[in-house]
Amino acid sequence: MTQADDRILETLSDSGLILSPRVLAVNTDYSRHYLSTRLGKLHDADLVDRVDEGLYQITDHGRAYLNGDLEADELEPEP
């Protein structure tokens, strides 16, 4: 998990909206390309859902992570 991941999840949670990497880029200090990459990782970790092509929303797991109920090391794939 990176600082950008936290920012993405916070933005999705605070807005309550389904957002694209482009909209997230406008509202954060990260590029659209970087956010697309991170959203893919967050999707793999079940922290965001891909609602449609290029559109994402936070999941219950994502909210649990933000609330401190789910630790980052619990998200990492086991070797």
Side-chain angles (χ1 to χ4, degrees):
M1 294 295 290
T2 67
Q3 184 177 14
D5 296 339
D6 290 345
R7 185 83 185 272
I8 292 166
L9 293 173
E10 289 166 356
T11 302
L12 288 169
S13 180
D14 291 347
S15 72
L17 299 172
I18 296 169
L19 301 175
S20 68
R22 182 172 185 227
V23 171
L24 286 163
V26 169
N27 291 287
T28 64
D29 296 327
Y30 302 101
S31 73
R32 181 175 54 97
H33 176 68
Y34 179 70
L35 291 173
S36 293
T37 300
R38 296 312 308 161
L39 282 162
K41 301 287 185 186
L42 293 171
H43 180 261
D44 291 345
D46 193 32
L47 298 176
V48 299
D49 274 335
R50 188 175 307 140
V51 177
D52 199 356
E53 185 68 31
L55 296 173
Y56 298 86
Q57 68 183 6
I58 192 167
T59 63
D60 290 339
H61 275 100
R63 284 187 190 84
Y65 170 77
L66 285 178
N67 292 332
D69 299 329
L70 185 64
E71 297 296 324
D73 60 350
E74 297 176 67
L75 305 173
E76 299 297 322
E78 295 185 19

